[in-house]
Amino acid sequence: MTKIVTLDEFIITSQKKYNDATGSLTRLLRDIGLAAKIVNREVNKAGLVNILGLDGSENITGDEVQKLDIYANEKMIECLGYSGECCGIASEELEEFIELPPVPSKKAEYVVVTDPLDGSSNIDVNVSVGTIFGIYKRLSDPSGPVQSEDFLQKGTEMVAAGYVLYGTSTILVYTTGNGVNGFTLDPTIGEFCLSHKDIKMPNSGNYYSVNQGYYLKFDLEMRRYIDHCSDLNLRLRYIGSMVSDIHRIMFQGGIFLYPNTRKYPQGKLRLLYECNPMAMIIEQAGGRAVTATLERVLDLEVKSLHQKATIVMGSPDMVDEMIRFVEKYSATVG
Ligand code: P6P
């Protein structure tokens, strides 16, 4: 019988590799793991209790808010407050960042950015949804309040990033900048157990993931690349839940595209808590993540909490081919 390695054990063991590790990031990652277990419990029974449907409000980016969005956001905030390692949170569900109350004898070193329940419009039709998170070291004076500068950092400054996919099984995938590992929740013991060690995505794949419904609203270069994918008989897979669409690419290879459209001239996905964490994971697994104008996503200046970005990410050979199409057909790039 193979030895079960729990998320907690893996995090602690990984921390031992770093002499200057104080255990703070370890405790913070464990807080996130706890939040994921709690959200998973509710996602799995959402159809049975009155947390389905819309709560009647809209979030800062205009998306109708599902009750489970609110629940997931509240649980993430609650669990991140336990260890005292996190001093602030920026969330898709919060117009502004919030400061977490200090825990006695703790000096919080980190801030967390999160989309607590990405793809939530799929909840009511039982399609998989996900949590996305990124972790930064705070920059401001630790004796003072958390500041916007703590959040408005480039993706390259993240110390960790991850996602939780609430699907046929619940899996937590994360990186601290030294490779990517996946942990599947064993509900019989309530533990995330190492199931996918050192994930490396294929250099190419047979899938492309884009909302084909916007095809006529894409720029020429994107239409030409999508036509090329079709000419190659690649399979179109698009769930409308980025965590799910990316998770497939992590294991089977492929490319995910959310370029600019007339409706979303800057792109739809949010840079801070959607694009950057996923881009860090993708790069750590051997992939690439660039904007529709070929900038590396992780290098983008973050100017506001809910800033949007275009993004193309996935298998390196496929992203490189997309880049060649942009350079050949774009009126503004190349
Ligand atoms: P569209 C979900 O709302 C989300 O933020 C991502 O998870 C997903 O990839 C995208 O938006 C889907 O957007 O415009 O294709 O419905």
Side-chain angles (χ1 to χ4, degrees), residues 60 73 77 86-100 111-114 138 140 144-152 272-273 304-306:
I60 176 70
N73 192 54
I77 293 168
C86 175
C87 59
I89 297 172
S91 165
E92 182 191 43
E93 300 305 327
L94 300 171
E95 187 165 348
E96 294 299 334
F97 62 81
I98 59 167
E99 186 160 20
L100 294 186
V111 296
V112 171
V113 297
T114 183
R138 75 177 297 180
S140 58
V146 68
Q147 307 283 344
S148 57
E149 66 176 318
D150 296 316
F151 299 95
L152 303 183
L272 184 66
Y273 43 75
S304 63
L305 295 182
H306 303 287

Side-chain angles (χ1 to χ4, degrees), residues 63 92 115 118-122 132 210-211 214 238-243 245 256 258 263-264 268-270 274:
D63 293 339
E92 182 191 43
D115 184 353
D118 181 71
S120 53
S121 56
N122 291 306
I132 306 171
V210 65
N211 187 330
Y214 299 150
Y238 191 76
I239 293 179
S241 180
M242 178 167 57
V243 172
D245 286 320
F256 173 91
Y258 207 115
K263 181 179 178 184
Y264 299 113
K268 174 190 179 185
L269 302 180
R270 274 70 79 180
E274 288 180 322

